[in-house]
Amino acid sequence: MKKLLSVFVLCFPMISLAGNNDIYLTQTGTGLTLTIDQIGATNTIGTSQARAIVSGASMTIDLDQIGDSNIIAASILQAGSSSWTYKATGDSNTATFAVGGTGDVAGSDFDYDAAGASNVLVFTQGDAATATTGNQDFDIDGTSNNVNVKCNVVGCVNNWTIAGNSSDVDTTQAGSADSNITGTLTGNSNEVTITQAGDKKNLTATVTGASNDIDVTQSGKEHTIAMTYTGSNMNIDIDQTDTVSSNVANLLLQSSGGSGSSINIDQCASGC
């Protein structure tokens, strides 16, 4: 199976594709290098019924879909010390990744790059109890994109850079401790929801634009928030729940950051 898959992958990028192509694969092993390019519209890598399934250590995976209305649905069951990249260029592309569903993904790195409008990413890491650490970078350029990221592991790092208007970003970190989010948002009328549960969660964000809606909830103890805002008419809600009262929220509003904006910060022992 591995030999057949390797030949297929090596030959695939040399073919000019017009669209409506489908790829289904199951791969288990160490040291896999996988490269897939799909060019055109309505291409598919896996589906919700028959996913692309990969498991192993020290893997390098590079997936590119160029065009509109492409779909990828992939399960990366176990991927210690692995890196994978997914790039979507076009509009209305949908990507679903389930990472660490049955094993560890320690030392893994995932990069998502989307350029276009109305693209959707659903990324879940660490539904298995053994899944630990991981670094994810999300770079999104365009309008009306939807990003839903959930990380259930200890030591999760999420970095996202978003440029455009009217996007919806949801980030959840539910591991027991030591997770970080660093975000840069440039644009107008974006909606961002950040939830961090557990101890020692850190959030650093820079927001530039108007009419952005940002909701942050941190529960546990020893959390920090450092956010810089430049713009107007922003709606900012921050809830920090900590039984030992050791949370820190540091907000800096620059230029017209306070013009027409609404800011609500609650810090409490329970029930914010």
Side-chain angles (χ1 to χ4, degrees):
M1 175 64 187
K2 290 184 183 178
K3 291 183 179 179
L4 291 175
L5 177 61
S6 298
V7 171
F8 175 77
V9 172
L10 289 171
C11 293
F12 189 81
M14 300 170 61
I15 302 173
S16 178
L17 302 177
N20 297 310
N21 298 287
D22 298 321
I23 295 176
Y24 308 98
L25 64 90
T26 299
Q27 170 69 26
T28 301
T30 299
L32 169 69
T33 297
L34 173 64
T35 301
I36 295 176
D37 291 343
Q38 287 185 318
I39 302 172
T42 63
N43 294 300
T44 300
I45 302 175
T47 68
S48 58
Q49 292 78 28
R51 293 175 178 268
I53 300 173
V54 180
S55 179
S58 301
M59 297 185 295
T60 301
I61 300 174
D62 188 355
L63 309 173
D64 288 350
Q65 290 182 318
I66 301 173
D68 299 333
S69 303
N70 293 304
I71 296 173
I72 179 171
S75 293
I76 302 173
L77 302 180
Q78 183 270 333
S81 301
S82 297
S83 66
W84 57 96
T85 301
Y86 172 65
K87 184 175 183 180
T89 304
D91 300 331
S92 303
N93 295 300
T94 301
T96 303
F97 291 91
V99 180
T102 62
D104 205 349
V105 287
S108 64
D109 184 81
F110 172 67
D111 295 322
Y112 172 73
D113 187 353
S118 303
N119 292 304
V120 177
L121 170 68
V122 179
F123 180 92
T124 303
Q125 177 177 337
D127 276 345
T130 57
T132 58
T133 69
N135 183 88
Q136 297 97 41
D137 298 304
F138 308 99
D139 190 345
I140 302 160
D141 296 287
T143 60
S144 302
N145 291 298
N146 189 310
V147 179
N148 193 316
V149 177
K150 186 176 182 180
C151 192
N152 295 329
V153 304
V154 176
C156 181
V157 177
N158 296 143
N159 303 307
W160 42 264
T161 302
I162 300 170
N165 302 324
S166 304
S167 290
D168 187 348
V169 180
D170 296 282
T171 302
T172 300
Q173 291 182 331
S176 59
D178 300 317
S179 294
N180 298 279
I181 295 174
T182 301
T184 300
L185 174 65
T186 304
N188 304 319
S189 302
N190 295 291
E191 185 169 332
V192 179
T193 303
I194 297 171
T195 303
Q196 293 178 303
D199 298 337
K200 299 180 180 179
K201 299 294 195 297
N202 301 303
L203 168 63
T204 303
T206 301
V207 180
T208 304
S211 303
N212 291 303
D213 190 335
I214 300 171
D215 296 311
V216 181
T217 301
Q218 292 180 324
S219 59
K221 61 183 180 181
E222 300 180 49
H223 300 312
T224 63
I225 297 176
M227 304 185 76
T228 301
Y229 302 93
T230 303
S232 60
N233 298 308
M234 285 183 277
N235 184 25
I236 303 164
D237 292 288
I238 296 175
D239 288 340
Q240 291 180 313
T241 302
D242 186 349
T243 57
V244 296
S245 301
S246 58
N247 288 315
V248 176
N250 184 1
L251 276 65
L252 174 62
L253 275 67
Q254 300 186 113
S255 184
S256 59
S259 177
S261 295
S262 173
I263 301 174
N264 181 36
I265 301 175
D266 291 321
Q267 293 177 318
C268 53
S270 64
C272 283

